Amino acid sequence: MSSRSPGNGSGNGRTGRPRSAAADAAILGATRAALVELGWSKLTLGDVAARAGVAKTTLYRRWAGKNELVVDAVAVLFDELELRDRGSLRADIEDVVLQFAALLDRPETRTSLMAVIAEATNDDALRARIRTTIVDRQKRLVLVGRERAWERGELPREADPEAAARSADLIFDVVAGAVVHRALVSGEPVDAEWAGILASVLLGGLGA
């Protein structure tokens, strides 16, 4: 999977010295650590800067505020997900579901994600940033999986591009929603058996 620089595409239009990937990684890691230890309300950019060993001005050159910083800190974790070719659409789905569950089981992911979702309930701009920086980026997994299934002959190609886009959105919502609810709301295990059941339900719908 190709990597991307954290915070890219934020649209803040800032210029200056070239970004340091090492500094970005240190800042985003410090942000997640601070969230786990302090929670959203007590997290400050000053604390993050101290943990990362950078000047506070370095953070402000990269991020406009805490909301942008925390969302980007979460987004890079989800960029670790990949749709590996396991030989069939069913196996591909089961594999990425288990990867997703393992990611959510990490305290830094769980705490960071729950924090930004809670804050976004009353913040339209934050909700939009979550959508563009996390959700839209991860829809690539659906597109890769569907294209692979088309090439294998496991699914019929959709002639209508708009219908194909809508179905891709729905597939993502079903998988992501089910895993997040199971892991973070219900607190039930997301194991191989459950991943297989989810794959069966999803494939039944796709076949129809």
Side-chain angles (χ1 to χ4, degrees):
M1 179 197 316
S2 62
S3 60
R4 66 185 74 212
S5 297
N8 284 358
S10 63
N12 57 25
R14 300 181 181 192
T15 59
R17 288 177 295 178
R19 296 283 291 265
S20 164
D24 282 347
I27 291 166
L28 297 179
T31 301
R32 294 189 297 270
L35 273 172
V36 172
E37 182 179 331
L38 304 174
W40 179 283
S41 63
K42 294 183 179 179
L43 183 147
T44 66
L45 267 62
D47 180 72
V48 171
R51 289 170 184 260
V54 300
K56 192 189 298 186
T57 53
T58 301
L59 270 70
Y60 283 110
R61 282 199 299 269
R62 289 161 162 78
W63 292 277
K66 183 165 74 172
N67 286 0
E68 288 188 0
L69 175 61
V70 172
V71 172
D72 284 359
V74 178
V76 295
L77 295 177
F78 285 93
D79 283 343
E80 296 176 14
L81 296 172
E82 56 183 329
L83 195 71
R84 299 176 287 210
D85 189 344
R86 297 305 195 193
S88 70
L89 181 56
R90 173 183 292 276
D92 291 352
I93 292 171
E94 292 174 355
D95 181 60
V96 79
V97 163
L98 293 175
Q99 285 184 62
F100 188 19
L103 183 62
L104 293 178
D105 195 47
R106 289 159 55 177
E108 60 176 343
T109 310
R110 184 169 58 250
T111 303
S112 302
L113 183 62
M114 295 294 274
V116 296
I117 290 174
E119 288 297 316
T121 57
N122 296 307
D123 188 330
D124 291 342
L126 179 57
R127 190 159 53 245
R129 187 169 180 83
I130 292 170
R131 184 168 58 251
T132 57
T133 308
I134 299 176
V135 175
D136 289 348
R137 265 173 30 189
Q138 297 315 313
K139 286 180 181 176
R140 65 190 166 78
L141 300 170
V142 174
L143 300 179
V144 169
R146 187 172 60 182
E147 182 65 34
R148 192 180 290 159
W150 284 344
E151 293 174 353
R152 292 186 187 124
E154 294 174 297
L155 292 176
R157 286 189 179 270
E158 298 181 64
D160 183 351
E162 291 187 3
R166 286 194 301 270
S167 68
D169 287 346
L170 180 58
I171 293 166
F172 179 87
D173 290 345
V174 168
V175 174
V179 177
V180 168
H181 186 277
R182 176 87 174 175
L184 300 185
V185 179
S186 298
E188 298 291 334
V190 179
D191 52 20
E193 180 182 4
W194 187 86
I197 294 170
L198 178 60
S200 294
V201 170
L202 187 60
L203 290 172
L206 289 172

